[in-house]
Amino acid sequence: IAISRAAVLNQLEGVERTLASVGAQITAELLYGNRVLDRLLALHEDSLRNVAQQRLKQGAFFLKKAKTPDDYREAGEIFQRGVDEDPTILEGQYGLGVAAEGMGNIAEAKKRFRNVVRLADEGKKDLVIASWLNLAKLEEATGNFPNAVEADEAALHHDPLNSDLKFKLARLLATSGLAERAEEMLLALIDENFDVLYQLKSELGFTRDFLIRVYKKVLASKGRNKGG
């Protein structure tokens, strides 16, 4: 995509204004309002037997309505019954992990998500990716950055061309202190799709100094491509 130097310069000028109120702390997704809950209803439901389908539907219904730890406990009890009946139905393990997260039981949530990634076959790639991303989020929120990076890398391994997963990993690398790897990934993404450059401004995980370095490298690269 052709882009003028003026457009990149305009982005540079907006960095300071856009990030004026952004701190250096890591911002994790809220436990309540987990964005992966809607996906649960669609994950291979048709391949499950009737009882398992009902457990999944009921548990997902309570998860989507949950606002308090008690609400998540209700959902967890439904998923727990399903897991007790058949622990190989990994959608139930996943739902139990989300419910445990909502209750603040991080160890239990990690256990359930790890059960999914350990036991799932290739036909459940979407469920595996969702579980790895949840693990990455939980590890990051508790300051275990190497484990978080490992989980994000595992998610990307299952869908290596997914630009959203690449962007997530780049943000995590940057917040983990691995700025050079993060810059390399972002520059490659920007080269593929220049809209990624605009996406950077709305992501709180990148510091001002990091963004300025990336923007300057993009500007320099565009200048060289245009013959200076």
Side-chain angles (χ1 to χ4, degrees):
I1 300 174
I3 185 70
S4 68
R5 290 172 61 88
V8 179
L9 285 170
N10 182 60
Q11 289 296 306
L12 279 170
E13 292 169 357
V15 171
E16 189 75 38
R17 295 192 302 274
T18 304
L19 299 177
S21 61
V22 176
Q25 77 277 12
I26 293 171
T27 57
E29 291 182 15
L30 294 174
L31 295 180
Y32 308 131
N34 193 309
R35 291 184 297 177
V36 300
L37 296 185
D38 284 339
R39 188 182 303 179
L40 192 61
L41 283 170
L43 288 175
H44 311 288
E45 181 182 304
D46 291 342
S47 66
L48 304 178
R49 56 189 175 81
N50 288 337
V51 174
Q53 285 186 22
Q54 289 304 311
R55 294 278 189 249
L56 181 60
K57 288 180 179 179
Q58 292 164 359
F61 175 82
F62 277 90
L63 279 178
K64 291 175 68 175
K65 299 291 185 180
K67 296 181 180 179
T68 69
D70 283 341
D71 295 338
Y72 280 99
R73 186 172 293 106
E74 285 186 302
E77 289 172 354
I78 295 172
F79 282 117
Q80 184 67 65
R81 288 197 292 272
V83 169
D84 290 342
E85 292 166 1
D86 189 347
T88 66
I89 296 176
L90 301 183
E91 291 81 4
Q93 295 269 6
Y94 177 86
L96 190 53
V98 176
E101 181 186 354
M103 288 186 285
N105 190 344
I106 303 305
E108 176 68 12
K110 289 180 182 180
K111 172 185 174 181
R112 298 302 171 178
F113 295 138
R114 290 199 177 278
N115 280 349
V116 173
V117 301
R118 178 171 59 90
L119 299 173
D121 56 33
E122 287 298 320
K124 300 201 173 186
K125 182 179 75 172
D126 45 3
L127 185 62
V128 170
I129 289 174
S131 296
W132 276 124
L133 292 177
N134 274 289
L135 279 167
K137 178 184 63 175
L138 294 174
E139 297 289 5
E140 181 183 2
T142 53
N144 296 322
F145 295 110
N147 288 348
V149 169
E150 181 182 336
D152 263 354
E153 288 176 333
L156 183 59
H157 173 75
H158 287 278
D159 194 359
L161 299 180
N162 190 314
S163 58
D164 289 335
L165 294 181
K166 290 179 182 179
F167 189 89
K168 285 178 181 292
L169 178 56
R171 182 202 61 77
L172 182 58
L173 290 170
T175 57
S176 302
L178 301 173
E180 289 186 5
R181 282 189 62 192
E183 286 182 22
E184 182 180 345
M185 287 194 72
L186 286 173
L187 290 171
L189 281 171
I190 292 167
D191 190 53
E192 295 172 5
N193 180 3
F194 198 79
D195 287 344
V196 172
L197 186 66
Y198 303 100
Q199 185 180 351
L200 289 176
K201 292 203 304 180
S202 61
E203 175 55 63
L204 302 185
F206 299 114
T207 66
R208 179 189 63 191
D209 290 343
F210 177 86
L211 287 182
I212 289 175
R213 287 198 304 273
V214 170
Y215 281 153
K216 285 183 175 179
K217 287 182 179 180
V218 173
L219 180 61
S221 174
K222 294 300 178 183
R224 287 195 298 272
N225 291 342
K226 290 177 179 292

